[in-house]
Amino acid sequence: MNEPFPVTAPSAAIADSDQRFPVRRIFCVGKNYADHAREMGGDPDREPPFFFSKPADAIVAGTAAIAMPPRTENLHHEIELVVAIGKGGRDITSDDAPAMVFGYAVGNDLTRRDLQADAKAGGRPWDMAKGFDRSAVLSPIRPVAAVGHPAAARIWLSVNGETRQDGDIADMIWPIADIIAELSTYVELMPGDLIYTGTPAGVGRIVRGDLVEGGIDGIGAIANRFT
């Protein structure tokens, strides 16, 4: 009898714990900061945020060395607050949404911007621009019991010590509870789901050798060298 193929389920670190958070799905919110919506050519007063996905095994630790991905000449960083879902449900109200959250982390939604631009121009999906290997950087998840539900905190990112992104999560167009409620009208959220909640202005190119550091006050930090 042939042995079954070995399968390793994706998971993420939990801060101050030996346990791991099993990652089921990764959802991302587009254009959820007004300044970033404008820099990408959108109108934050007219366009609500939208959702796209990354595969669960795109997760990579916030301290890992990351190989530059193929098929791009314009890899971009996008620092984000990440919500880890601990309880499932659909059609969740904004009032009930906080009870669904296990914890929060810092993420970097890596993007092959040149592939994304080509996909937009051709009216094609973004999968290869957003959902490639090691495209979902994630710090250890901090449980709600340790950090509460952050409504305002500095979010920042630097490349080789130079600040590129510097904002506050209070500037999100849709706050965390509303994101969870809206997403739950499209899909049934389940324990293990992650939601990357959007990025402030200042996204930019990463090249081989860059050290990309970032963080959210009270939540955590990342530091990845691109090799």
Side-chain angles (χ1 to χ4, degrees), residues 151-175:
R154 183 188 179 219
I155 179 171
W156 62 274
L157 180 141
S158 68
V159 177
N160 302 323
E162 178 184 351
T163 299
R164 294 262 189 96
Q165 295 182 264
D166 198 345
D168 197 293
I169 63 172
D171 295 331
M172 287 193 289
I173 297 170
W174 284 16

Side-chain angles (χ1 to χ4, degrees), residues 68-77 111-118 128-129 132 204-208 210:
M68 292 293 291
R71 302 292 294 267
T72 183
E73 299 298 326
N74 196 18
L75 179 68
H76 274 209
H77 56 76
T111 303
R112 294 195 276 205
R113 193 70 75 196
D114 42 1
L115 270 63
Q116 185 188 39
D118 289 345
M128 294 300 102
F132 52 95
R205 189 181 180 199
I206 302 167
V207 299
R208 183 176 289 108
D210 280 348

Side-chain angles (χ1 to χ4, degrees), residues 118-131:
D118 289 345
K120 286 181 177 180
R124 297 188 297 270
W126 293 6
D127 297 58
M128 294 300 102
K130 286 286 192 177

Side-chain angles (χ1 to χ4, degrees), residues 21-206:
F21 182 86
V23 178
R24 179 174 178 265
R25 294 181 295 187
I26 302 173
F27 300 100
C28 305
V29 184
K31 298 181 181 178
N32 198 29
Y33 287 77
D35 52 3
H36 175 59
R38 292 188 187 98
E39 77 175 348
M40 297 304 293
D43 180 354
D45 296 324
R46 184 172 56 87
E47 297 178 6
F50 56 91
F51 300 97
F52 58 91
S53 298
K54 291 175 181 272
D57 62 3
I59 286 291
V60 61
T63 55
I66 300 176
M68 292 293 291
R71 302 292 294 267
T72 183
E73 299 298 326
N74 196 18
L75 179 68
H76 274 209
H77 56 76
E78 296 188 13
I79 191 76
E80 310 204 3
L81 174 68
V82 181
V83 180
I85 297 297
K87 294 181 181 179
R90 67 171 74 225
D91 295 320
I92 301 161
T93 67
S94 295
D95 288 341
D96 291 337
M100 315 296 292
V101 179
F102 169 78
Y104 298 93
V106 180
N108 188 358
D109 167 18
L110 296 175
T111 303
R112 294 195 276 205
R113 193 70 75 196
D114 42 1
L115 270 63
Q116 185 188 39
D118 289 345
K120 286 181 177 180
R124 297 188 297 270
W126 293 6
D127 297 58
M128 294 300 102
K130 286 286 192 177
F132 52 95
D133 300 335
R134 296 173 293 279
S135 63
V137 178
L138 191 72
S139 75
I141 298 167
R142 302 221 13 164
V144 168
V147 298
H149 295 286
R154 183 188 179 219
I155 179 171
W156 62 274
L157 180 141
S158 68
V159 177
N160 302 323
E162 178 184 351
T163 299
R164 294 262 189 96
Q165 295 182 264
D166 198 345
D168 197 293
I169 63 172
D171 295 331
M172 287 193 289
I173 297 170
W174 284 16
I176 296 163
D178 290 351
I179 290 170
I180 294 171
E182 179 70 8
L183 181 56
S184 75
T185 68
Y186 288 97
V187 297
E188 181 177 5
L189 293 174
M190 297 292 287
D193 290 341
L194 297 175
I195 306 172
Y196 282 60
T197 60
T199 194
V203 300
R205 189 181 180 199
I206 302 167

